[in-house]
Each structure stands twice: as structure tokens, then as C-alpha cells.
Amino acid sequence: MMKNNIEKLKIATNSYRLKNDNQITKKILEYIEERIKANQKEIEDLIKIKKEKVTYEQIENVFKDENEKDIKYKNYKQMIINEDKFIFATLLMPIGTIAVEAYDTIEVIRYFVDAIKTRNGIAISDVEYDEQSVKFLVLEIIKEALKKFDIDENLIMIMPYEECFYSYFDKVIYTYNKQGKKLRQNGYEMKKTIDKKYLYIENIELEEIALSDNEKEEKEILYGEIQDVIEEISKFPSLSASIYTKDAEKAYYFINLANSENIFVNTSLENTREVENSQCELYTYRNIILPIPKEEKISEEKTENVEEMSLQIVNKSIFEKIKNYLKNFFK
């Protein structure tokens, strides 16, 4: 049962990550806020019945506060275009599937919202598991909202603590200690990054180029269907993974779902470099390298001014090339 739930969680988060609409998160949260207000009486009645130490106003304020905050998903720390017309960027990306030890109603609801904003799959590991609780009622309201926007409702779950096996998750967040006392700072466990580089030759026509580019690199060469390759790469975080492809949609798929610190499109694994730690518990930094479409005429001038470069790219309409996926990464 546990493995089945984790598989559902993975499928849900992967599906959500591939959504190209960068306004969808805001739309979902606004709709949820409306539905919370529409269900005020049911929420207040359940609070009284369960004698929970929470108020409706506190719950409403969670959504109000979160809606006012910026969405950091895929924010970039730096971006440059080199002389070979490759884009180098460092992006904030989702971690994957996350288990959170939490039972406080307001804290749990915040993590529900965080799952939607960060596009992580989040399972609450609840020592006070009660399907008749207020947090479950709010969860059901959120699930209905997700379905309305064609998002897999399994993106968010509540599981009994004793059934939540942490080894299946990409990260575990602890909000209290073994004695049940709230931690001043959350504790974390992450899957360790393995010292491995993957070269995925998706298009056999690019095999000679791919092998030549990566001749000096110690790597594991992968062929086959992209879904199978992603599953193999994503078992454990790796140092780097490069795809050689002519298919923009597959490149977008790879960039979003490959569980690697460095993710490249049609370029050598020799570009692998250290990734700095993110200060946000629900994001990780990824180094991304991908080519600019040859038909685009981008200025020869190299710059490290992120704002200037992003405006330059917008003005050149590069987003419409390569299946429009650059828009998600650099907006």
C-alpha cells in the first residue's frame, strides 16, 4: 500500500512539473481560497466537534498570506549566453517527493499550499492521523480544486506516521523531535547524491557527436525510451545527466524530471560543476545548459546581467522556439 501511494505521489508531481502554464499555480490558489470561504460553516462546525485548537480565520489567513507571496518555482540565480550560443542557468527546481512529519493543523495546511507552489509531491506523516479532522476536510477541498485544473489530486497526501517509510522519499522534513516537541529549526534527511554521470543518446543520429563530445568523461551511456531512462536516472540524485536529442518536447521532459544536479541538452558532461545549497527547504538548485535555436539572432555580447539578458531573450521571441519551454525557465 505504501509503495502504491509513493508511486501515485511521483506520478502526480511529475505530471504537474510538465505543465507549461506558468500562471496555473496562482489560479489554483485563488480558487482554493474561494472554496475555503464557501465552506466556512462546515469548517467551523468541524472545529467545534473535534475541539481543535485552531480557528477558521487562521485557516483562511494561510491561503491569503501564501497568495500574496512570490512563487519562486524555477527562479534563476544566474544566466549567461556563451560564445557558442548555449544558455547557462542556475535554477530553483522542485526536489521531488517529500515526507513531512507534522501534525499541527495550520502547519500541515501550509505544506499543502507549498506542494502546489513548489510542484513537489508532499506526504504529511501524521502521528495524529484522523480522517475526520479539519486538516482532512481542507485536504479534500484542495483535491477538488486540483482536479478542476487537471492536476493529479495525489500531489498531496496525509499518511499515518507508522505507514510512512521515509526511505522511499527524496527528502524528509522533521518539524518536531522524537518526544513530540516542536523544533526551533526543522530537521532534514536527503537522498545522497551518487558520483555518477549519465549520457542519454535519445536520437541515434546524434550518437557520433555525443560520444565524441564526452569521450574523456567517465559516464554511463543510456539508450531507449525516455520514460525508462528518466526512471533509471532518478533512482538517486546524480552529478550530471546529458540528453542528445532533436526533439524539443523530450528535452523539456528531461530537464524537468531528470534527478541530477547538472542537466544538459546536446552538450558535454565536462560542463559538470558544483551546485550550491538552496536556502529553501523545498527547492534545490540545478545547473542547466541548453542550446539556443540556430535561427535566433542573439547579440554577440556576453553578459552576466540576469535582468538585461532575460529582457533580451524576451524581445527576441526565443520562447516560441523549442516547444515554448524556455519561457518557464527564464520568466
Side-chain angles (χ1 to χ4, degrees):
M1 183 66 176
M2 174 62 189
K3 285 186 178 180
N4 186 41
N5 283 336
I6 290 296
E7 187 60 29
K8 289 180 181 178
L9 199 68
K10 287 181 179 179
I11 291 171
T13 188
N14 286 350
S15 175
Y16 189 23
R17 283 199 214 181
L18 295 174
K19 294 285 185 183
N20 241 344
D21 182 359
N22 60 355
Q23 293 297 314
I24 194 168
T25 300
K26 183 175 178 60
K27 294 174 185 176
I28 293 170
L29 293 177
E30 288 175 350
Y31 181 76
I32 292 172
E33 190 173 1
E34 291 175 7
R35 298 311 304 157
I36 290 294
K37 292 177 180 177
N39 286 274
Q40 178 175 352
K41 185 178 186 307
E42 289 79 359
I43 295 172
E44 289 178 334
D45 288 346
L46 189 56
I47 289 173
K48 290 178 182 178
I49 293 170
K50 304 300 291 188
K51 298 179 180 178
E52 292 204 25
K53 296 179 180 179
V54 63
T55 66
Y56 168 79
E57 287 72 23
Q58 287 176 314
I59 294 172
E60 184 178 358
N61 285 337
V62 169
F63 294 97
K64 182 179 178 182
D65 292 345
E66 292 299 325
N67 278 338
E68 292 176 354
K69 293 180 182 178
D70 291 334
I71 297 171
K72 296 180 179 180
Y73 175 65
K74 287 183 181 176
N75 274 6
Y76 51 91
K77 186 176 181 66
Q78 65 174 359
M79 182 176 68
I80 63 172
I81 295 178
N82 73 357
E83 61 275 7
D84 296 320
K85 301 299 186 294
F86 276 83
I87 298 174
F88 289 67
T90 301
L91 308 172
L92 277 177
M93 298 284 280
I95 289 168
T97 56
I98 301 174
V100 181
E101 272 195 15
Y103 56 86
D104 175 78
T105 298
I106 296 300
E107 185 167 42
V108 167
I109 293 172
R110 287 194 185 279
Y111 277 108
F112 290 163
V113 177
D114 285 338
I116 297 168
K117 295 185 76 169
T118 65
R119 304 199 184 195
N120 286 292
I122 291 184
I124 301 297
S125 176
D126 195 350
V127 295
E128 297 181 346
Y129 185 85
D130 178 5
E131 294 185 3
Q132 305 304 316
S133 65
V134 172
K135 65 188 79 165
F136 258 94
L137 174 57
V138 174
L139 178 60
E140 289 306 309
I141 293 171
I142 293 175
K143 282 178 177 284
E144 287 300 317
L146 292 175
K147 287 190 286 186
K148 176 178 173 61
F149 289 90
D150 196 30
I151 305 297
D152 192 329
E153 64 177 280
N154 292 302
L155 183 72
I156 308 166
M157 297 181 177
I158 301 178
M159 297 181 183
Y161 166 77
E162 60 274 10
E163 295 181 13
C164 201
F165 302 118
Y166 296 152
S167 60
Y168 292 124
F169 292 87
D170 295 311
K171 185 173 185 176
V172 182
I173 299 174
Y174 300 94
T175 65
Y176 57 90
N177 61 22
K178 293 181 179 180
Q179 290 72 43
K181 186 177 180 181
K182 187 75 174 71
L183 294 170
R184 290 186 178 179
Q185 288 188 320
N186 290 344
Y188 309 107
E189 285 184 12
M190 285 278 291
K191 281 186 178 178
K192 291 184 178 179
T193 300
I194 59 173
D195 187 16
K196 206 164 191 176
K197 299 178 180 179
Y198 293 98
L199 173 61
Y200 173 35
I201 304 175
E202 187 277 325
N203 189 313
I204 201 67
E205 294 177 14
L206 299 175
E207 181 177 35
E208 185 177 345
I209 295 173
L211 295 177
S212 175
D213 286 351
N214 295 277
E215 184 178 6
K216 298 179 181 180
E217 297 298 312
E218 290 187 15
K219 72 274 182 187
E220 180 174 336
I221 303 175
L222 301 172
Y223 297 88
E225 294 297 321
I226 191 166
Q227 291 86 351
D228 298 331
V229 170
I230 290 291
E231 186 174 343
E232 175 64 26
I233 292 175
S234 298
K235 287 179 180 177
F236 295 95
S238 59
L239 286 179
S240 56
S242 183
I243 180 175
Y244 279 73
T245 184
K246 295 182 178 180
D247 189 318
E249 189 170 346
K250 289 179 179 177
Y252 177 72
Y253 189 100
F254 191 82
I255 290 171
N256 276 274
L257 302 186
N259 190 7
S260 189
E261 292 183 348
N262 295 268
I263 305 173
F264 308 140
V265 177
N266 294 347
T267 191
S268 173
L269 291 164
E270 70 180 10
N271 293 298
T272 299
R273 61 193 194 279
E274 187 176 350
V275 176
E276 63 180 288
N277 294 325
S278 167
Q279 297 301 309
C280 178
E281 65 180 7
L282 299 176
Y283 289 109
T284 184
Y285 277 116
R286 296 268 194 260
N287 293 325
I288 310 291
I289 301 178
L290 66 163
I292 297 169
K294 291 181 180 179
E295 60 268 31
E296 288 297 330
K297 295 181 180 179
I298 304 297
S299 170
E300 294 291 333
E301 183 180 353
K302 182 178 177 181
T303 178
E304 295 192 11
N305 186 311
V306 175
E307 291 185 5
E308 179 184 336
M309 182 61 71
S310 64
L311 288 173
Q312 182 183 22
I313 291 174
V314 170
N315 292 335
K316 296 295 182 180
S317 300
I318 194 173
F319 300 135
E320 297 306 317
K321 310 298 180 181
I322 312 186
K323 196 69 176 181
N324 198 35
Y325 71 83
L326 287 178
K327 185 175 183 180
N328 264 7
F329 286 103
F330 300 120
K331 186 169 183 179

